[in-house]
Amino acid sequence: YAVNCKLTTDITVSEPLEKYSGFIEGNGHTITLNLTKSNLYYSLIRYGYSIITIRNLNVKGVVSGSNYCAGLIGMLSNDMANLTVENCHVSANISTSNDGYAAGFVANANSGKVPLRNCLFDGNVSFTGLNSYSMVASFVNRSHRAQDMTVENCLENGTYNGYNNVVAVGYYDGNSHKAWDGGINVWTYATTGF
């Protein structure tokens, strides 16, 4: 079932939303994350389904898990998932300790569509594992259909430690992970200003 919510105050979260579909109106408020377990897809929302919209939300705090950790969503769980993120700011400290995949906003987009507009990532992402290949994406990682990604008027100003590759959007073509150059999509992100 879809659940729509609107924040009326700042809150602290110590357990993620396990599965979520619906609308989150942050109303300019802040969610402080305190998520520190050795889990996959650790994030504010572990598994995103169907249609999700997140707007006007600030996220800070700590996310620490084994792999695919992010500030907003660990994994979009099916090919039909559509996530829209607008006017959001993620400044969380995110870390992975097993395989090295993480992102500021979405750690594993699968084949879902993800437009990001007017967003800022200025958190810290760290990898403490031994995997010989690791990738962190400022915005969205492990998209199987990166051609459906849109990044508009976003700012990347994060810090990254221990990763082999740092990209804006990470693409997985079925065989290997790589940076997505934007193709025909709208890509307007910067590393200073906002």
Side-chain angles (χ1 to χ4, degrees):
Y1 298 103
V3 176
N4 298 324
C5 62
K6 180 177 181 180
L7 270 66
T8 58
T9 189
D10 296 347
I11 62 172
T12 298
V13 172
S14 57
E15 290 292 331
L17 296 168
E18 195 66 24
K19 297 177 181 177
Y20 186 80
S21 174
F23 185 91
I24 298 175
E25 170 55 62
N27 204 28
H29 290 289
T30 299
I31 295 178
T32 301
L33 302 175
N34 185 19
L35 306 174
T36 55
K37 291 185 180 175
S38 295
N39 288 337
L40 286 169
Y41 310 116
Y42 228 39
S43 183
L44 172 63
I45 300 167
R46 284 189 76 191
Y47 303 101
Y49 289 87
S50 192
I51 298 172
I52 305 163
T53 300
I54 303 173
R55 293 195 336 206
N56 306 314
L57 179 65
N58 301 301
V59 176
K60 65 179 186 177
V62 175
V63 178
S64 179
S66 63
N67 196 15
Y68 295 111
C69 297
L72 292 182
I73 295 183
M75 181 174 79
L76 292 177
S77 295
N78 59 46
D79 293 347
M80 300 304 292
N82 290 301
L83 168 67
T84 300
V85 181
E86 296 176 337
N87 306 318
C88 290
H89 176 195
V90 175
S91 59
N93 292 309
I94 301 164
S95 65
T96 58
S97 60
N98 190 2
D99 291 333
Y101 298 98
F105 287 81
V106 181
N108 187 342
N110 273 325
S111 296
K113 294 182 179 181
V114 184
L116 272 79
R117 297 180 186 96
N118 306 316
C119 292
L120 166 63
F121 177 73
D122 61 356
N124 178 66
V125 190
S126 300
F127 173 53
T128 59
L130 300 175
N131 192 338
S132 62
Y133 185 86
S134 58
M135 178 184 283
V136 61
S138 306
F139 303 111
V140 180
N141 208 348
R142 207 168 194 274
S143 169
H144 295 209
R145 293 190 335 196
Q147 67 272 16
D148 290 331
M149 300 295 106
T150 304
V151 178
E152 297 179 42
N153 193 35
C154 293
L155 174 63
E156 182 285 314
N157 196 25
T159 57
Y160 309 93
N161 301 294
Y163 287 93
N164 301 97
N165 298 281
V166 177
V167 300
V169 173
Y171 173 58
Y172 182 70
D173 67 3
N175 296 309
S176 63
H177 294 84
K178 55 186 78 173
W180 181 249
D181 63 8
I184 61 171
N185 292 350
V186 177
W187 292 87
T188 53
Y189 71 94
T191 56
T192 59
F194 198 57

